[in-house]
Amino acid sequence: MIAIDVHLDADAAATMARDVRAGLCAYPKELAPKYFYDERGSQLFEQITELPEYYPTRAEREILSHRSAEILTSAGAPATLVELGSGSAAKTRHLLDAMRDAGSLETYVPVDISEEITHQTASLLVDEYPGLAVRGLVCDFEQHLERVPDEGGARMIAFLGGTIGNLYPRQRHAFLERIAALLSPGDHLLLGTDLIKERERLEAAYDDAAGVTAEFNKNVLAVLNRELGADFDLDAFEHVARYDAEAERMDIRLRSLVDQDVCLDGLDLEISFTAGEEMRTEISTKFTRERLESVYQSADMELRGWFTDAAGDYALSLACRA
Ligand code: AVJ
């Protein structure tokens, strides 16, 4: 009942080295948010999801716990749930429960970068859902999306958590076009997105009083120290989180507190920061229903369902191929 395919990039280290070099040599400097998530970074993100200021995780959980049955009905009672970035599948159980209760549940396809978590989750789920087939895929889904298995029968591809907000418009468009190419008639995408709201709440959600987000942001420097033999001094940078209303996104950066040189032995590279220089480490795009409709439309998709929490802070949208 469990089959897991592993397609890990043999030279993930080389990819990282290339990415980081390009980002640090660019002006302004920039690092990709995927490098936040080593073990420590993943723990810190878990802590973020429990902060009073960080509402998206709770809002998404509220939607899933109250409206999964409705979502599944709107999606035509699919037999297969594909989940991109499945992790421990904590939120997924609401969807699986609704599929089971509707009698449509056959296959769960977790897609995640961590082989260990995918195996663990798979074995827990086959026990919890008798008869469930798990066909996992361990890969970077930005690279290997096309390997998602097709069992026949209607599918719902879930991409939860608001991670699509990390992509720039061009990357997002390319990603959605690839999703669209995977969707047969009757298949749906279920996408989690944070919504535009007052600057104060947005900025607080990314700059919490306890300083967890600041630590999460700076942890990327610890990752570079370990993986690339760099000597970043984490105390010589400060966390910056600003809402860019024009671009409709949070802009998250690290600001150098002093003039400093940093060595990255693994890249044979030395770079300088001036006092006050900012390096972007993440964007987190915020949406409206209208914006998402046009984003889907340009990727040859169509919005078919819209589910928000009671406060209207966050949305799960259902889309299919146009
Ligand atoms: C995991 C990408 C959805 O953008 O809200 C949280 C990451 N960064 N606090 C987000 C994050 C800082 C989060 N995503």
Side-chain angles (χ1 to χ4, degrees), residues 75-148:
T80 299
L81 175 63
V82 178
E83 184 175 20
L84 306 179
S86 42
S88 64
K91 297 173 282 194
T92 318
R93 284 178 173 75
H94 294 291
L95 294 170
L96 292 172
D97 286 351
M99 292 168 79
R100 178 196 54 205
D101 296 348
S104 71
L105 179 62
E106 290 174 13
T107 310
Y108 176 55
V109 181
V111 182
D112 199 272
I113 193 83
S114 164
E115 183 168 0
E116 201 185 325
I117 291 187
T118 306
H119 276 286
Q120 276 171 16
T121 305
S123 57
L124 285 175
L125 289 176
V126 292
D127 288 343
E128 286 174 47
Y129 298 89
L132 178 70
V134 177
R135 293 203 53 187
L137 188 56
V138 175
C139 68
D140 177 344
F141 56 76
E142 271 224 66
Q143 289 177 46
H144 300 284
L145 203 53
E146 286 67 27
R147 295 187 194 262
V148 169

Side-chain angles (χ1 to χ4, degrees), residues 33 36-37 44-45 48-49 51 54-57 160-167 192 194 205-208 212-214 216-217 239 241 250 252 282-286 314:
F36 284 138
Y37 300 95
L44 286 166
F45 180 67
I48 287 174
T49 65
L51 292 169
Y54 193 78
Y55 57 84
T57 310
L160 304 176
T163 305
I164 196 162
N166 278 171
L167 303 182
D194 195 12
Y206 292 86
D207 192 7
D208 60 282
V212 182
T213 309
F216 171 76
N217 192 11
H239 172 63
M250 285 302 302
I252 294 148
E282 181 177 41
I283 58 163
S284 186
T285 310
K286 308 304 165 189
Y314 188 94

